[in-house]
Amino acid sequence: MTDLFVPLQSLKQGDWFKLICGASFQHLPAVRNLTLAYTLAGADCIDVAADPAVIAAAQAGLQVAKTLAQDAQQRGFDYKGNLPFLMVSLNDGEDPHFRKAEFNPTECPRDCPRPCERICPAQAIVFDNIKEDFSGVVSEKCYGCGRCIPICPYGIIYTASYVTTPGAIAPLIMSTGVDAVEIHTQVGRLAEFQRLWQAISPWADQLKVLAISCPDGEGMTDYLRAVYDLIAPLKSALIWQTDGRSMSGDIGDGTTIAAVKLGQKVLAAKLPGYVQLAGGTNSYTVAKLKAMGLLNSAEFRVMGAEKDYITQHSALMTQHYIAGVAYGSYARVLLSPILEKLENKEVSKTNMKATVCLEEDEVLLWQAVELAHSLVSQIKLSQRRESEH
């Protein structure tokens, strides 16, 4: 495992930024355009659903970003053409990230105020859509946040979940050229995790990063140690993703507290690898980490140099700080006004309707990159300013 990859350097420096497109999010134009905007803004990793079509959409966004590197630099962005890692998310059992909302719109009373439509952050619930002649949940847009379920006055919204089939994972990794895998697990599912890991492990050496995502629970740190014992030894970098409050970052500043607290808990366990926040992360997260002294300060960098942290095995060493932050719902909602404009701006090509790609509208493209950069730069610039002092 080489340390020459820019994303691995970001992990070591403590300014790793990951975009979570969503383990169930399969709206291909949005995945492509989110990938493009956040890559140009300096993201280190793009996390997408383990779906070949979604992976291809993200890869298309990455390739377009490479052609726009010079334009990005001229506009004052730091992107130099290096590609972020492409990660796919898998699960070893029931998980809120791997589900879709469903309901039968014919059961909705005509006089219902339709609060589900207003609360959906993905705009996945529509009624009487004239353009598509459709009512209900647009499946590819739904990423399983579940906010529509308790708000339905008639209780007719439910979710359909799916679990990763271990036998299908290895061929997916081999054929699509992804850089990283994230496994979503929960306390008490060691046997299920082991089955999934056995399917992946023959090809694990080609991965640059393995991430383990786990929400809090009684005995969590003991469970993570047991998981580590199963996957060790590991050549790739290892990330412990602390899922504080799933898919809630766009709700308000309070959600980031759960993410930070869980990050502290896992840091205290001193597990080999890096700790990265998720679940409730938003524009308040980096400021909270900085105020609590959980970012990679100059003091820690000196300690790291003295102990020779920067070695080929550094990915398995214990870190004293949060190595990075992953943003999901907040990052997507931040760009949703621009992506919505793009989605509504269709052009006719040989009598076929085609959605405009983000790079085809220069104004919207750089507006999207500017918005994405406003989030990415929080952790990047925070670390850069620290290093300059």
Side-chain angles (χ1 to χ4, degrees):
M1 178 57 58
T2 176
D3 290 336
L4 298 179
F5 294 106
V6 171
L8 293 182
Q9 295 173 4
S10 296
L11 274 175
K12 289 188 176 70
Q13 292 164 188
D15 63 0
W16 161 275
F17 180 102
K18 184 174 86 169
L19 168 69
I20 303 173
C21 286
S24 294
F25 190 61
Q26 295 164 301
H27 190 233
L28 302 184
V31 169
R32 181 189 186 281
N33 293 326
L34 284 166
T35 298
L36 171 57
Y38 277 96
T39 296
L40 290 172
D44 296 295
C45 183
I46 310 292
D47 184 359
V48 301
D51 175 331
V54 174
I55 293 169
Q59 288 172 329
L62 292 175
Q63 292 309 310
V64 172
K66 286 184 69 174
T67 69
L68 294 170
Q70 188 173 355
D71 287 351
Q73 291 169 34
Q74 290 175 348
R75 291 172 180 269
F77 300 107
D78 292 332
Y79 179 67
K80 296 179 175 60
N82 48 282
L83 293 181
F85 290 159
L86 184 58
M87 175 182 284
V88 294
S89 282
L90 314 172
N91 59 328
D92 62 11
E94 292 284 332
D95 188 284
H97 296 88
F98 297 80
R99 66 181 183 180
K100 302 275 190 183
E102 295 183 9
F103 68 92
N104 182 351
T106 63
E107 297 178 359
C108 299
R110 281 287 177 183
D111 60 351
C112 179
R114 299 172 177 174
C116 59
E117 187 177 24
R118 293 194 303 272
I119 202 171
C120 178
Q123 299 175 320
I125 298 177
V126 296
F127 288 92
D128 307 320
N129 185 303
I130 297 174
K131 184 172 66 174
E132 303 292 341
D133 188 26
F134 175 81
S135 292
V137 179
V138 183
S139 180
E140 63 267 23
K141 288 187 177 183
C142 176
Y143 58 82
C145 71
R147 296 177 206 173
C148 57
I149 298 171
I151 205 170
C152 175
Y154 302 96
I156 63 172
I157 303 178
Y158 59 95
T159 58
S161 300
Y162 61 93
V163 179
T164 300
T165 304
I169 299 310
L172 179 70
I173 295 171
M174 289 295 291
S175 64
T176 56
V178 299
D179 304 294
V181 165
E182 179 169 284
I183 300 177
H184 288 254
T185 188
Q186 293 182 24
V187 177
R189 292 216 297 243
L190 194 62
E192 293 88 343
F193 179 92
Q194 186 172 19
R195 280 196 294 271
L196 182 55
W197 178 246
Q198 285 174 343
I200 298 171
S201 57
W203 293 276
D205 286 356
Q206 75 180 57
L207 298 174
K208 300 178 182 71
V209 172
L210 173 68
I212 308 296
S213 180
C214 189
D216 202 1
E218 187 176 351
M220 178 194 185
T221 53
D222 288 337
Y223 178 69
L224 295 183
R225 288 191 185 96
V227 165
Y228 179 75
D229 289 341
L230 277 178
I231 62 178
L234 195 66
K235 289 188 176 180
S236 65
L238 175 62
I239 293 175
W240 302 103
Q241 177 168 288
T242 58
D243 192 8
R245 187 175 166 187
S246 298
M247 297 174 282
S248 66
D250 57 314
I251 294 176
D253 60 338
T255 63
T256 204
I257 296 173
V260 173
K261 283 185 176 179
L262 190 54
Q264 285 180 296
K265 181 176 180 177
V266 176
L267 274 178
K270 298 182 178 179
L271 295 160
Y274 301 98
V275 177
Q276 172 227 279
L277 302 190
T281 52
N282 52 34
S283 63
Y284 300 92
T285 304
V286 171
K288 184 75 172 174
L289 289 172
K290 191 170 184 180
M292 297 178 69
L294 293 174
L295 290 179
N296 185 17
S297 67
E299 177 187 359
F300 284 140
R301 279 193 286 275
V302 171
M303 289 170 58
E306 290 174 348
K307 295 182 179 180
D308 193 25
Y309 271 38
I310 310 300
T311 70
Q312 62 178 349
H313 302 297
S314 62
L316 300 182
M317 287 188 168
T318 302
Q319 300 294 323
H320 300 275
Y321 50 85
I322 297 297
V325 182
Y327 298 85
S329 56
Y330 182 82
R332 297 191 299 268
V333 169
L334 186 65
L335 266 59
S336 62
I338 290 175
L339 298 189
E340 186 180 1
K341 286 181 184 177
L342 201 65
E343 192 172 329
N344 292 330
K345 184 181 177 182
E346 293 185 335
V347 293
S348 179
K349 295 181 179 178
T350 61
N351 298 321
M352 298 288 288
K353 287 287 187 179
T355 302
V356 181
C357 295
L358 183 57
E359 70 274 14
E360 295 174 12
D361 188 314
E362 188 175 15
V363 173
L364 290 181
L365 167 65
W366 296 111
Q367 285 178 357
V369 176
E370 185 69 46
L371 280 172
H373 187 259
S374 71
L375 186 58
V376 176
S377 63
Q378 288 185 19
I379 192 163
K380 297 293 184 183
L381 293 182
S382 175
Q383 298 303 77
R384 188 179 305 163
R385 291 190 185 111
E386 175 71 29
S387 65
E388 289 171 354
H389 286 80

